[in-house]
Structure formats: C-alpha cells, structure tokens
Amino acid sequence: DLRFKSTAHALENTTQIVNGELSKPLRKFLKKNYVDAELSDELAVMDSKLGRVIKDELSIPCVHGEETIGMFRALRQNIETLLEDVTREQLDQTALGLAHNLNRYKLKFSPDKIDMMVVQAVSLLEDFDKEINKYAMRAKEWYGWHFPELAKTVNDNVVYCKIVLAMKSRFNANETDFSAFMEEEDAEKVRQVALISMGTEIAEEDIENISRLCTEVVQASKYREQLNAYLSSRMQTIAPNLTTMVGEQIGARLIQKAGSLLSLAKYPSSTVQILGAEKALFRALKQRQNTPKYGILYNAQVVSKAPQQNKGTMSRVLAAKTSLSARIDSFGETDNSAALEYRNVAEARLKQFEEGLTYGKTGNARGAASQVAPRGGFQQRGGFQRGGFSGGRGGPRVERGGRF
C-alpha cells in the first residue's frame, strides 16, 4: 500500500516521477513488493525514462509500448472498482488539486519561464536608446564647434563617435584610417569636408573630454547589441509563438505592458490591439472621439506594410492571432508551428488588401474582382427606374416613364 502523507508530500513525489526520478516511497514499494518477493515478471511502465531508471537502480525488467498504454488506460477507467474505499468524486478532486499544485510548481521553478527577465531587458533597452541618443546629440553639438560639417556628412551616431575617437582633430583626417568602421567612399567624403571646414580650433583638453563622451556612446552601443541578442534569445525560449508572430522587440514590449506573459495571455485581442495607446484611448473616450485602432502593434511588419486605410483592420487581425500565440506560449509546451500558421493567415489578408479585395459588414467580398454597381447608375425597383443625381446644371434627372 502506497499512500501520501499530505498534499505537499504528493507534490514532491509526483514531481520526481514526472522528471524521471525514482522517489523514496516508490523505491521502497518496488523493493518490498517486487525485489524481495523475487518476482521475475516484467514491470509495465507508462514513462520510458522512468522505466530506465528503475531498471538501472533496482534491476527490474520494464516494458513500455502501445500495449502498456492501453493497459494503463483501462486501469484509469476502472479505478473505482479496484479501489473500493475511494469514490470517483474523491479521486477527481484529489487529481485536480494535485494538477494545480504541479502546474504552479513548474511555473515557479522553471528558469526558462521567467518572463520578468524579458520585462527588465526590454525596459533597459529602451533606456539605453534614450541615453545613447542624448549623449550622441551632446557630442555632435560639442564637437560641432570644431567640425560642424561632419554631422551632415555622417548620419549614424555610433560611426560619428568612432570618427571623432579615430582622428581627434579634423586636421588629422588625411592621416587617419577609417577602414575599420567606414567604407572608403564615405571616408573620402569626410577627408574632403575636413579640408574646407569652417569650424574653430579647440584645445587638447576639449578634445580629450569630447573623446571620453564618444567612448561612452560607443561602449553603450556595444552593450546594447549584446542586450538585444540576449533579449532575442530569451524571447525565443519563453514565447516562441509570440516572437514568430510579431518579432522579439514588439513581443517583449507587449509582455512589458501587460506585466507578464500570463497577464498578456488573459487579455482579449481587443486589449492587445491597443496596448501602448492607453493615453489616446482615454482621451478619445473623454472627448467622445474615435478610439485608437492600434498601439504597439503599429510597428509590426504586417501592419506597417498595409495601406493607410486598412491599417486598423490589419491591426485587428494581427491582435487576434497574437493573443492566441501568447496563450499557447503561456499554457502550452509546443513549438512555433501554430504561430507560423497564424502568420500565413495574416500575410494572406495583407495580400488581399494589396490586390484591392476587402470585405463588407455582411462578410461578402468586394473590390476590383467583384461586380459592384457603378455610382449614380439606375436600379430596377417596382417596375420603374430611378436615376441618380446628374453632374449637369439640370439637377436630378428622371428617366422617361419613371418618377423621382
């Protein structure tokens, strides 16, 4: 007889069995009823991994296959007759409680499901973008007194700072090698502009402080790249379907706005659609205007490719599939095959918009391929024809034999 002392004891032993480990009560039970009894029959197991552990540690021959699965299914169906002192209601209640505790344990102690790392990483990434832009603008304004034409020649902030670190003063442009981070054609433009620059001369101390600021920008940009790679890796592990649907950056920002992947999975698609546009939503409700049609999803590739008049519809389609992808990632243990199918549906809808095919409120297709009556045409009603408004001076025009 194998009984659990409490719910915590049952959870501990069940977790070990699920992980393919031989728990102490199970080991004691098998040793007493099989090894000490000197049985030679094979032991049927449901999990092949657990069967290998039992065979290695207790030298008990185990069998696993379709026949054993059918046998265990029959045992579950007839468990009431085998356990006379336990009712079906008690078994269901106990199994449900154990399943809930086991799922809570998995979500709590699984390092791959910790979505707070993604929330912190994407928040830090946004802070880095702001700080890098702020420092780069300050470096351009500061160095602009010496070489103002460089900011118009080079648009990239990091490349700008690398140029400053490489040549220091603009008078060293001809002797400086820029091949490590620039094309030769762009480097030649910098050298030519340096010869005719209208900037003032600055002291060595000024150049040294500007170089320190540019060093901070370059180092911060390197760490930002590493952080971006880390975020992409974590998103592929935590939410592969959500990442496939909208990308790492947008998926992480959605999780950040919702607070966690579980909270995002509980949101309806209408809420997912306008995440990130809360201020615009409440302002529209207060002023009784049209509510926003998209928030963070506006930056998604599928929505950005859609025509302006169809961006709202495309955002709604993407939000529906994104919500399903988040639920699969939060409550399931599957790959991204479902998200690939959802993405194909969204891209097919985008292709229909590009071909001029739309859908009315009744669900019927309309567009270039469908036959639509021309505006101002005549329609047959009740035995007479009614005309539309004419573009001439005569105003409304009525066909002969009809009435307006």
Side-chain angles (χ1 to χ4, degrees):
D1 191 7
L2 181 60
R3 293 179 180 268
F4 297 118
K5 300 177 182 178
S6 61
T7 305
H9 187 227
L11 175 62
E12 179 183 356
N13 287 272
T14 305
T15 305
Q16 290 181 336
I17 294 174
V18 169
N19 294 332
E21 301 174 2
L22 191 60
S23 62
K24 187 175 180 180
L26 182 59
R27 183 197 302 272
K28 185 178 180 181
F29 176 82
L30 291 175
K31 191 173 181 181
K32 178 181 178 181
N33 295 279
Y34 194 97
V35 178
D36 295 345
E38 299 181 355
L39 298 178
S40 59
D41 297 332
E42 291 182 331
L43 179 66
V45 294
M46 188 72 176
D47 186 8
S48 59
K49 185 178 179 181
L50 181 62
R52 286 194 295 270
V53 175
I54 294 174
K55 184 178 180 181
D56 294 339
E57 296 190 11
L58 299 177
S59 301
I60 298 177
C62 299
V63 60
H64 169 76
E66 293 294 333
E67 297 180 357
T68 59
I69 294 176
M71 182 176 62
F72 279 109
R73 188 181 297 115
L75 287 173
R76 283 197 298 267
Q77 291 177 351
N78 299 280
I79 194 70
E80 295 179 64
T81 58
L82 297 175
L83 302 177
E84 298 179 354
D85 55 341
V86 181
T87 62
R88 168 60 68 176
E89 184 178 358
Q90 291 175 337
L91 286 173
D92 292 342
Q93 187 176 2
T94 305
L96 182 62
L98 181 60
H100 286 173
N101 290 329
L102 185 61
N103 286 330
R104 291 194 193 99
Y105 178 85
K106 282 185 175 181
L107 292 175
K108 182 178 180 181
F109 291 101
S110 176
D112 295 336
K113 286 295 182 181
I114 302 178
D115 49 9
M116 288 307 297
M117 301 301 171
V118 170
V119 174
Q120 298 297 331
V122 73
S123 300
L124 181 59
L125 199 62
E126 292 177 357
D127 293 340
F128 259 117
D129 290 336
K130 294 178 183 178
E131 293 299 324
I132 290 173
N133 289 333
K134 188 185 298 183
Y135 286 173
M137 288 177 61
R138 183 61 60 194
K140 286 184 177 180
E141 290 181 5
W142 200 349
Y143 194 72
W145 287 97
H146 176 62
F147 193 0
E149 295 82 4
L150 182 60
K152 298 180 181 179
T153 307
V154 180
N155 296 323
D156 189 87
N157 294 332
V158 179
V159 176
Y160 182 96
C161 293
K162 289 182 178 180
I163 292 174
V164 175
L165 290 173
M167 72 177 182
K168 305 295 183 180
S169 174
R170 74 169 189 269
F171 301 112
N172 303 326
N174 289 329
E175 294 82 14
T176 306
D177 183 17
F178 302 110
S179 60
F181 49 86
M182 286 184 69
E183 297 290 338
E184 185 60 32
E185 183 180 353
D186 297 332
E188 190 62 31
K189 290 181 181 179
V190 173
R191 295 188 182 99
Q192 292 176 1
V193 172
L195 294 175
I196 57 173
S197 176
M198 300 296 292
T200 61
E201 295 184 9
I202 56 177
E204 288 293 331
E205 185 180 1
D206 298 329
I207 294 179
E208 183 180 352
N209 284 278
I210 295 172
S211 299
R212 290 177 181 175
L213 178 59
C214 292
T215 303
E216 292 292 332
V217 174
V218 173
Q219 290 179 353
S221 64
K222 288 182 179 179
Y223 179 63
R224 187 199 176 282
E225 293 177 359
Q226 297 175 1
L227 186 63
N228 191 22
Y230 163 77
L231 179 63
S232 300
S233 175
R234 295 300 296 167
M235 283 296 296
Q236 289 288 350
T237 304
I238 294 172
N241 289 277
L242 182 63
T243 304
T244 303
M245 200 66 213
V246 295
E248 297 91 354
Q249 295 280 344
I250 298 177
R253 291 181 63 191
L254 288 173
I255 295 175
Q256 178 198 21
K257 274 292 179 183
S260 65
L261 180 61
L262 182 61
S263 299
L264 180 64
K266 293 179 180 180
Y267 283 168
S269 59
S270 57
T271 303
V272 176
Q273 181 180 350
I274 59 173
L275 272 180
E278 290 82 5
K279 291 183 179 180
L281 173 64
F282 293 127
R283 183 171 60 249
L285 293 175
K286 184 177 180 180
Q287 299 177 359
R288 296 185 179 181
Q289 296 177 352
N290 293 332
T291 56
K293 296 180 181 179
Y294 30 67
I296 298 174
L297 292 180
Y298 181 80
N299 300 317
Q301 185 179 10
V302 179
V303 179
S304 60
K305 287 183 178 180
Q308 184 62 37
Q309 65 273 17
N310 296 324
K311 285 185 182 294
T313 304
M314 221 36 245
S315 177
R316 184 166 62 250
V317 173
L318 183 62
K321 303 305 180 184
T322 302
S323 180
L324 291 175
S325 301
R327 291 167 190 173
I328 294 174
D329 290 330
S330 181
F331 303 112
E333 295 285 344
T334 59
D335 54 4
N336 63 342
S337 57
L340 291 173
E341 182 180 352
Y342 296 155
R343 188 171 180 83
N344 291 334
V345 173
E347 290 177 350
R349 190 66 180 273
L350 176 62
K351 187 177 180 181
Q352 291 176 352
F353 286 139
E354 293 175 351
E355 295 175 353
L357 184 64
T358 59
Y359 293 89
K361 294 182 179 179
T362 59
N364 297 324
R366 61 187 183 187
S370 59
Q371 297 180 357
V372 181
R375 289 185 177 181
F378 297 94
Q379 298 177 351
Q380 188 74 24
R381 284 192 181 180
F384 66 89
Q385 291 179 336
R386 186 177 68 177
F389 287 94
S390 174
R393 296 181 180 178
R397 176 169 51 89
V398 183
E399 284 294 315
R400 186 175 182 182
R403 61 186 180 184
F404 182 72

